[in-house]
Amino acid sequence: LQKILILLHVTACVVVGKTLMILFPNTMRRYILKQGERSRMNENPKFSYENWGPTFFSFKYLLFVLKVKWKRLEDEAHEGHPAPNTPVVTLNGEVRHLFDFMQDNRPLILNFGSCT
């Protein structure tokens, strides 16, 4: 049910966005550029609006947003419920899942950190 609701919501947003891009191209360009400022996309001089702006509200855009939102449904953790089997990337670039690292009844300890 959640996936159907997400499909309907994202599809409606894409249809409205695409319609607005056709009816009001300059206004939508300004709106999309504002979104680029928030994500700092516009700070890269090699990444102009002409490269990424027209992809907003396309069919590829729709599929990408659906994929991300549906994946997030699987990754939600709730107290008292089983942990999600989230995909992770090993140091050598291999994609695995958290449960792949469990051994027998031993607890799995995740240690997060960063290095710069």
Side-chain angles (χ1 to χ4, degrees), residues 9-112:
H9 179 258
V10 172
T11 302
C13 290
V14 168
V15 168
V16 169
K18 191 64 161 180
T19 303
L20 291 174
M21 281 184 82
I22 293 168
L23 296 176
F24 309 103
N26 293 331
T27 304
M28 288 303 288
R29 178 188 169 105
R30 286 193 304 273
Y31 171 76
I32 291 171
L33 286 170
K34 259 304 196 216
Q35 299 302 317
E37 287 176 17
R38 284 185 179 169
S39 65
R40 295 186 169 158
M41 286 170 50
N42 62 336
E43 291 179 10
N44 184 343
K46 296 181 181 179
F47 203 51
S48 68
Y49 173 82
E50 287 71 24
N51 292 338
W52 57 270
T55 65
F56 272 62
F57 310 115
S58 66
F59 186 68
K60 278 187 171 181
Y61 174 87
L62 170 73
L63 294 179
F64 175 77
V65 173
L66 285 175
K67 180 181 173 183
V68 169
K69 288 187 173 277
W70 286 347
K71 187 66 187 151
R72 285 185 182 162
L73 284 176
E74 299 169 11
D75 291 343
E76 289 184 5
H78 300 283
E79 187 175 343
H81 291 88
N85 192 16
T86 305
V88 293
V89 179
T90 64
L91 292 175
N92 59 359
E94 182 183 356
V95 177
R96 307 269 306 271
H97 287 82
L98 280 182
F99 295 171
D100 296 341
F101 298 98
M102 294 185 71
Q103 298 176 3
D104 302 321
N105 287 335
R106 296 176 60 193
L108 177 64
I109 298 172
L110 302 176
N111 184 12
F112 296 93

